[in-house]
Each structure stands twice: as C-alpha cells, then as structure tokens.
Amino acid sequence: MAKLLSCVLGPRLYKIYRERDSERAPASVPETPTAVTAPHSSSWDTYYQPRALEKHADSILALASVFWSISYYSSPFAFFYLYRKGYLSLSKVVPFSHYAGTLLLLLAGVACLRGIGRWTNPQYRQFITILEATHRNQSSENKRQLANYNFDFRSWPVDFHWEEPSSRKESRGGPSRRGVALLRPEPLHRGTADTLLNRVKKLPCQITSYLVAHTLGRRMLYPGSVYLLQKALMPVLLQGQARLVEECNGRRAKLLACDGNEIDTMFVDRRGTAEPQGQKLVICCEGNAGFYEVGCVSTPLEAGYSVLGWNHPGFAGSTGVPFPQNEANAMDVVVQFAIHRLGFQPQDIIIYAWSIGGFTATWAAMSYPDVSAVILDASFDDLVPLALKVMPDSWRGLVTRTVRQHLNLNNAEQLCRYQGPVLLIRRTKDEIITTTVPEDIMSNRGNDLLLKLLQHRYPRVMAEEGLQVVRQWLEASSQLEEASIYSRWEVEEDWCLSVLRSYQAEHGPDFPWSVGEDMSADGRRQLALFLARKHLHNFEATHCTPLPAQNFQMPWHL
C-alpha cells in the first residue's frame, strides 16, 4: 500500500536514458536503501512507456493544467466580465463553487487512477524505489542510478546548497537570504527631500510600476517563463536534454539559491579528454527564451570546452521568477557550484552569455573578478532604450520608472567593474537589440556597450577624436568597409601593443588607464581603432542564429 501511495504522489516520468557500456551497472544489485537495481536499457525503450491507464490519466491532468494556466492569465478579464453581467452575486457564486468542488474531486480520482497505472508498471516501480532511496541516502551510487531517469524536476533532490562552502558560513560579507548585492540605480530626481508628502505623491506611480513589472513586464522580458510556452516546447527540451546526457555524458544537478529558488543545471566535463580547452569551464547564460537544453551551450561544447549550463528562475526545472535579484542569486550559486563542487578555479572559468544573459554574466564578472574572461554575444548596454522601443511614447515615464525600479538590467555598468579580458560579438543583422531597424547597424545597443567599456577603461584614448573614429568603424556594414577605415588611419598594431605594454609595465593592469594623455590626435585614433577591433567581433547573422564554434574565441589580452 505504501508503494501504491508513492506511485499516486510521485513525479511524472518522461524518459529512461541509455547507459553507455562502460558505465552500465551490474545486472543485479541488492535492493537496499543505499543501492537498488539499475535499469536495463537493452530491453527498454529510452522513452518511458506508460500503461494505458496512466497515459490517459496523464493526458486529462495535463489538459486540466493547461486550462488552469489559461484561466489564470485571463482571470482579470473574466472577473470584469462576470461583474458587469452580475454573476458575482452570492446566489450564483455558491452553485459555481459546488461545480468547482466536484471537478476537483474528479481530478483527484483521475490522479488516483494514474497512480494505479504506475503501480502496475515495473519501470515506474523501479524508478520510484530509486528516487525514495536517493532521498533517504544521497550516496554516489544512488545518485548515479537516479541520473538514468528524466522526471519532474521538482522531485529531484538538492545537490548543492548556497551555504555549503565553508567560507560562506564563516564570513558576514557574503549573500544573505535577502539576496546578493546589486548595483542600485540613482534616484530619478536627485536633491529632492524625501518627505512624507513626496512619498505619498510617488505612491500611485510606484504601485503602477510594481503591477506592470509583475504582470505584463516580466512576461514580455522573459517569455520563456510563461508556462504555456514551456508546455509547447517540452518535447524539444526533453530531446535536447537526452542529447546532453546520452551523447555528451552530461550530469544534471539541482542547486538551492539563497532566495530559496531551485536552479536546474547541466554539466559536461571535458577534463578527461586530450583537448587542452577541456580544462576550462564555460558557464553559459541563456537568452530570455533560451534553455540550456537547446541554447547557447552547443557552441562551447562543439569547441571542446567543459560546459555548465543553467536555466533562469521560472524556466523549465528552475523555480521562481526571473527578476534581476533572483537572476543574480541564481548566478551566484551556479558559480559557487562550479568552484566548490566541480573543482574549477576562478582563473579557469569563462563566462559566456547570449542576449539578455549578459546581465547575469556581467554580474558574475563584477562579483567574481578573478574569472578568466567574459564573452557577450548579441548583448546590450541597458534595457531602457530597448523597452522604450516596443512601448508607446506616451508611456515613456512609466516604462523608464518600471525598468529602473524592478527590471534594471544595467549590463554596461556592471561590466565596467570587471578588470579582465572581454569580447563582444555583434550580430550585423540583429533585429532584437536594435532600436530602429536591423539594417541600421548604428542602432545596435552592442555598440553602446563597447563604447561605454572603452570609455571607462581608456578615457584619454576615447576622447573626442578616438570616439569619433570608433563610431565610424562601428558604422561599417561589411568587412571591406571596416578594413578600409582601419587602413585609412594607418593603424600600426605593433606600435599600439608597445604603447599599451609599456603603460601596463609602469602603472599596473588596473583600469581605468590614463594612456593617451600626452599623445597626438592621430595616435589616439590609432589606439582607439586597435582597441575597438580587439574587443568587438562582427558576426553576419540575425539575433537567434546559433554561433558557430569557430566564432567562439577567447578575448584579447596583453
């Protein structure tokens, strides 16, 4: 009876992975709390085969879940309509509650029938035995056997806790349960007294901004967190996860962040291969509708690196909602996991981000300054210009206030706090992070990210002459035009390198540098073009085109 109850309350099982011959467990292992029988992949299909009762019950419950999600998103309009029609009176609400109660009882009965169907299936009984044994004892053998299954991630045991590193427990400067530290925006009206009257005046605007950010804003910014989209993508995500596990020997893990969110991660270890880049770990930060199962992790994987992918809060197996604070909390526990559990030194970690993932990547670079390098693909400097692009002009004040207070993705500001090598990849046909049309390459916000970085690191070089010539170079729409501008100013790369190395040897590596202070205008132009070319590479593609492995290059450094 206990096993039947476990089958009723247990998670949905999606897939049983194929085991490689070298890793296949012995045919029979005693079924104890620390070791249970391993699945025999030779006789079972890799997709879990539910019995008819479980299959049909699952379909009914999945349909009910979709209807509930649709009802949730449309509830404000439904309540308004029912109120206008007078259906919210007590005499009509009571019968409706009876109908709802009856429907819930029917769904509970369907769930029990599904449990009976699982109980009659030896595959599911074996899975639930392994899952229960792992929850009782997280031995390496139990976790190895559990990794052969893909199931509802909510039931996966936690593999790493944010407080697990001993340094976190001893230091008071680390993150608390309230979250890690973020750069806060400056007040919109500086110098005004924050009196009670001013607070009361601001209250309606603050309430409106909060409602917009937590309803429409967050879902527009991170559409991958919408349940209906995830439901539609589920077959693709399962297929991508199977590829990472079966073909790349990926290891899935659940990390618990300081805010209580559970973060879904996938690690592919290449340290045992002959390729030297396998000793480096690339932590991948996905876009606003990207998942590690089908996202940018494929690029460093093809290039031979060890890779750690993770899903935003609220995406696939990760819990929570993707607000900036939660995003930074998630990135913090991912980096801690890479250092303290996977055994990579910060100097061997590369942060790679695509699109909106630039926020967590730049936060990690700012907070962990010893990481080896940062690569930002199709990213931007600040969210406000892109948000204003898609909203009516009459909403400018509301949009700016909402972004600054609740959705402040200040990538450039964070990146300028990092001292290490940086490479920016600009998509020349990008239709997402341009503020006008894709053909207008100067409206690509990647340009602004480059300019702000160079102006911070080399303020004397990026004075009027340097800034002007870099803008001309950024305006070039082809490699031929770029080369033409570069040769027009007769950039001598050897001279530029000697100037930079001499300055570094005399003054040290910390930015900002005052190099170029006593230099001619032509010299500053040459240095500015040289530095721009080293920090930004063009990729002739649209925003969502996968980056080829040959374009994944390490940033330049002296």
Side-chain angles (χ1 to χ4, degrees), residues 32-251:
T32 66
T34 58
V36 294
T37 305
H40 301 283
S41 59
S42 59
S43 60
W44 290 353
D45 192 282
T46 56
Y47 276 100
Y48 168 62
Q49 301 295 322
R51 300 288 173 86
L53 185 59
E54 180 187 357
K55 182 179 180 180
H56 296 312
D58 254 334
S59 300
I60 294 172
L61 293 175
L63 186 63
S65 176
V66 171
F67 276 126
W68 169 255
S69 181
I70 295 174
S71 302
Y72 173 78
Y73 290 121
S74 61
S75 57
F77 306 101
F79 276 113
F80 180 75
Y81 175 79
L82 293 174
Y83 176 78
R84 291 292 302 270
K85 294 294 184 179
Y87 292 139
L88 293 182
S89 61
L90 186 63
S91 60
K92 294 183 179 180
V93 169
V94 171
F96 176 78
S97 64
H98 291 164
Y99 298 143
T102 303
L103 181 60
L104 289 176
L105 287 176
L106 289 174
L107 291 176
V110 171
C112 291
L113 291 175
R114 181 180 65 176
I116 295 173
R118 292 171 172 176
W119 185 63
T120 61
N121 192 327
Q123 289 182 320
Y124 194 89
R125 288 206 312 272
Q126 187 176 47
F127 155 70
I128 204 69
T129 300
I130 294 174
L131 179 61
E132 290 176 340
T134 307
H135 277 289
R136 289 193 299 268
N137 184 352
Q138 292 195 33
S139 66
S140 58
E141 176 62 19
N142 283 345
K143 293 175 74 173
R144 186 194 68 79
Q145 294 182 15
L146 187 64
N148 291 322
Y149 297 93
N150 187 357
F151 55 96
D152 190 338
F153 201 61
R154 288 173 293 185
S155 299
W156 189 285
V158 173
D159 296 287
F160 183 83
H161 194 280
W162 69 279
E163 284 186 321
E164 187 169 319
S166 57
S167 59
R168 287 290 176 89
K169 299 176 183 177
E170 297 169 359
S171 67
R172 297 182 179 180
S176 65
R177 294 189 182 277
R178 299 173 63 181
V180 297
L182 292 179
L183 297 180
R184 300 298 176 184
E186 294 184 359
L188 295 178
H189 305 287
R190 302 181 64 181
T192 57
D194 192 18
T195 62
L196 179 60
L197 181 60
N198 283 334
R199 291 183 181 180
V200 172
K201 289 180 179 179
K202 295 176 183 176
L203 188 59
C205 295
Q206 292 175 345
I207 293 175
T208 304
S209 295
Y210 180 88
L211 293 175
V212 170
H214 287 75
T215 53
L216 180 66
R218 190 258 296 176
R219 291 172 176 84
M220 287 183 64
L221 187 59
Y222 289 95
S225 65
V226 176
Y227 172 77
L228 293 177
L229 177 61
Q230 294 184 34
K231 197 73 176 175
L233 291 175
M234 181 62 73
V236 179
L237 298 181
L238 291 177
Q239 185 178 4
Q241 198 166 98
R243 181 184 66 85
L244 291 171
V245 172
E246 295 177 344
E247 299 178 14
C248 303
N249 197 20
R251 302 205 303 264

Side-chain angles (χ1 to χ4, degrees), residues 419 504 507-511 513:
Q419 298 283 331
Q504 184 185 52
H507 298 89
D510 293 341
F511 298 108
W513 288 8

Side-chain angles (χ1 to χ4, degrees), residues 337-353:
F337 176 68
I339 296 172
H340 296 282
R341 177 62 62 84
L342 301 182
F344 287 91
Q345 295 299 315
Q347 295 82 2
D348 295 325
I349 295 176
I350 301 156
I351 310 295
Y352 169 51

Side-chain angles (χ1 to χ4, degrees), residues 296 299 352-358 375-380 423-427 430 433 537 539 542-543 545-547:
C296 63
T299 298
Y352 169 51
W354 172 62
S355 190
I356 210 170
I375 303 174
L376 302 179
D377 178 16
S379 196
F380 52 88
L423 174 63
L424 308 180
I425 300 174
R426 182 180 67 165
R427 309 291 184 104
D430 201 310
I433 64 168
H537 293 174
F539 175 44
T542 57
H543 188 76
T545 303
L547 185 71

